[in-house]
Amino acid sequence: MRAELLSLVWLAVTVGGYYALKPVYRRHPRWWTSPLLTVPLLLALLGLPLGMNYPVYIQDTHWLVLMLGPATAAFALPIFRYRALIRAHWPALMAGVLGGSAMAIASAWVLATWCGLDDSVRRSLLARSITTPLAMLVSADIGGVPELTALFVVITGVAGIALGELLLRCLPLRSALARGALFGVGAHGAGTAKAYDVGTEEGSVASLAMVLAGLLNVLLAPTLASLLR
Amino acid sequence: MTTLHVRLRWLSWHRPRLARWSQVGLIVLLWFACDQCVRRLHVPVPGSVLALGLLLLLLLSGVVPAVGLRRGADWLLAEMLLFFIPAVMAVWQHLPLLRQQGVRIFVVIVVGTVLVMGTTALLVDLMFRWRQRHAR
C-alpha cells in the first residue's frame, strides 16, 4: 500500500515539476535551466529524504515512458511538412545522414574501446546521437541498456549545443543545409532547438535530419546487432 | 473528403484543446494497434516506426489532412522531454558504474559528437556545392 502511494506521488511530482519548471526554461533558455536537468535534480533532492527506489519510482511513471511510442509516430508530421526540402536536397541530406550516422557508431565503438569501457556501456553509447525514443529502441536491439542510452543521449544533447556553436565558428560552412544537418545529426532534439536560434531554414533542416538519422539507425539496428555479436 | 478537411480545419481553429486531445488520442490508438500487430506477427520493425510509416502514408495520400494532426502531433513532440525524464532517473541504478567510468564516458561523448558534427556538416556542404556546380 505504501509503495503504491509513493509511486503515485512520484508520478505527480514528475509531471508537476515538469510543468512548474518549464516556464523557467522558456524565460531563461540556458542549458542548465532545461527541464531535463532541473526535474531530475528536483526528484533527486526529494529522493534523499523519501528514499529513492527505482522500481517504485518507475511503477507509475512508466506510463510516461510509454508515450514515447506515439511521440515517435508523430514524427510523420515534420517529415510531411518538409517533403519539399527532401525532394530538393535529398543527395546532400542523405550524404550527411549516412556519413554522420556511420561516424557516430564508429567513433563511439573505437573511442569506448580505447577508454576501456564495459561492453554494455560501449553498446549503449552507439545510439547516443539520435533522438531518445529511437535511441532506446536501437539500444535494446544491439544489446545496450536503454536507460543508460537515454542518459547518454541527454548528455550528447547538452554538450552538442555548446560544441555545435563552437564548430559553426571554426568550419567554413556556406549553406544553411550544412549548418542545420550538423545540429540535427549531431545533437538530435536539443540541437534542433538550437538550430532554430541560428535560423528557420537551419531549424527545419535540423529536425528533418534528426528524424532521418534516427530512422536509418532503427532500420540498421538488426544488421548492426548481428555484426557486433 | 473536402467536408472532412473543412471540418478539421474549423475544429483546429475554434476548439484547439478538443482538437489536440482527440488527435493525441488517435495517434495513441494508431500506435497501440501497430504495436500489437508487431508483437503478434513478429514484424522486425518497431511498432512506433510502423505507426510513423502508416501516418506518413495517410498524409501523403491525402486521406488525412495535415491540419487534422497538427495540434496533436506538435504537442506530443513538444512534450517529449517529460516522457523521458523517468528513463533518465534510471541513473540511480547505475550510480556505481557512472562513478567509476563517468569521466571516460563524458570524453567519448564529447569527442564523438565533435567528429559526428564535423563529418555531417562537411559532407552536406561538399554535396551541396558539387550539385550547385553541376546544375549550371
Side-chain angles (χ1 to χ4, degrees):
Chain A
M1 177 57 210
R2 217 184 140 259
E4 276 162 26
L5 201 69
L6 200 58
S7 185
L8 267 180
V9 170
W10 279 126
L11 177 64
V13 172
T14 306
V15 176
Y18 173 75
Y19 282 106
L21 290 168
K22 210 169 76 157
V24 177
Y25 179 70
R26 202 168 289 160
R27 209 161 304 151
H28 311 277
R30 301 280 189 286
W31 66 267
W32 43 268
T33 53
S34 164
L36 211 48
L37 199 73
T38 50
V39 178
L41 274 181
L42 173 77
L43 289 170
L45 278 179
L46 284 172
L48 290 177
L50 285 173
M52 190 64 186
N53 183 346
Y54 186 69
V56 173
Y57 174 80
I58 204 71
Q59 195 186 327
D60 280 334
T61 48
H62 85 274
W63 292 105
L64 291 176
V65 184
L66 223 51
M67 284 296 282
L68 284 173
T72 306
F75 276 127
L77 199 69
I79 299 182
F80 178 75
R81 214 173 263 164
Y82 303 126
R83 62 196 184 284
L85 205 66
I86 299 184
R87 215 171 291 143
H89 297 296
W90 65 268
L93 278 171
M94 273 336 277
V97 168
L98 277 171
S101 296
M103 183 49 110
I105 294 168
S107 67
W109 190 260
V110 171
L111 290 169
T113 312
W114 277 354
C115 291
L117 297 177
D118 288 355
D119 190 51
S120 63
V121 175
R122 186 167 57 173
R123 282 168 191 268
S124 307
L125 274 167
L126 292 185
R128 63 163 204 293
S129 292
I130 62 177
T131 184
T132 315
L134 298 174
M136 289 173 79
L137 285 176
V138 172
S139 180
D141 254 15
I142 58 180
V145 184
E147 286 85 10
L148 273 182
T149 302
L151 175 70
F152 298 158
V153 170
V154 171
I155 299 175
T156 304
V158 175
I161 294 174
L163 294 171
E165 215 168 344
L166 206 71
L167 280 173
L168 277 193
R169 261 180 249 150
C170 307
L171 295 174
L173 303 175
R174 288 188 210 152
S175 59
L177 213 58
R179 288 190 291 266
L182 175 146
F183 281 112
V185 178
H188 54 93
T192 302
K194 180 70 204 166
Y196 272 110
D197 287 346
V198 179
T200 323
E201 200 183 347
E202 280 88 348
S204 24
V205 174
S207 54
L208 189 61
M210 166 183 85
V211 180
L212 293 179
L215 287 178
L216 178 77
N217 274 271
V218 171
L219 297 177
L220 285 183
T223 322
L224 197 62
S226 58
L227 272 177
L228 297 180
R229 192 155 292 145
Chain B
M1 189 71 86
T2 44
T3 50
L4 174 73
H5 288 218
V6 170
R7 271 183 206 154
L8 285 171
R9 180 154 310 185
W10 184 88
L11 189 72
S12 181
W13 273 102
H14 295 268
R15 300 272 184 279
R17 260 161 205 274
L18 178 66
R20 183 211 283 166
W21 293 120
S22 52
Q23 288 160 15
V24 169
L26 282 176
I27 296 174
V28 170
L29 271 180
L30 178 74
W31 163 76
F32 186 73
C34 287
D35 202 49
Q36 290 300 316
C37 276
V38 165
R39 260 162 224 220
R40 299 265 160 81
L41 305 173
H42 303 288
V43 185
V45 183
S48 49
V49 176
L50 183 67
L52 189 160
L54 270 179
L55 215 53
L56 192 60
L57 271 181
L58 288 175
L59 284 168
L60 285 174
S61 62
V63 176
V64 176
V67 71
L69 278 179
R70 196 172 53 110
R71 304 246 175 219
D74 281 347
W75 182 83
L76 277 171
L77 292 174
E79 304 300 320
M80 208 148 76
L81 276 188
L82 170 64
F83 304 147
F84 55 76
I85 285 170
V88 173
M89 290 314 285
V91 175
W92 279 93
Q93 286 194 313
H94 302 286
L95 273 182
L97 179 106
L98 291 175
R99 217 171 280 142
Q100 206 186 2
Q101 310 190 351
V103 178
R104 280 180 282 166
I105 291 172
F106 189 72
V107 170
V108 171
I109 289 179
V110 168
V111 177
T113 302
V114 169
L115 287 173
V116 173
M117 286 180 153
T119 318
T120 310
L122 291 176
L123 273 175
V124 172
D125 221 37
L126 261 173
M127 199 71 184
F128 182 75
R129 269 187 266 169
W130 185 81
R131 286 245 302 170
Q132 260 192 338
R133 218 175 304 135
H134 282 253
R136 271 177 213 141

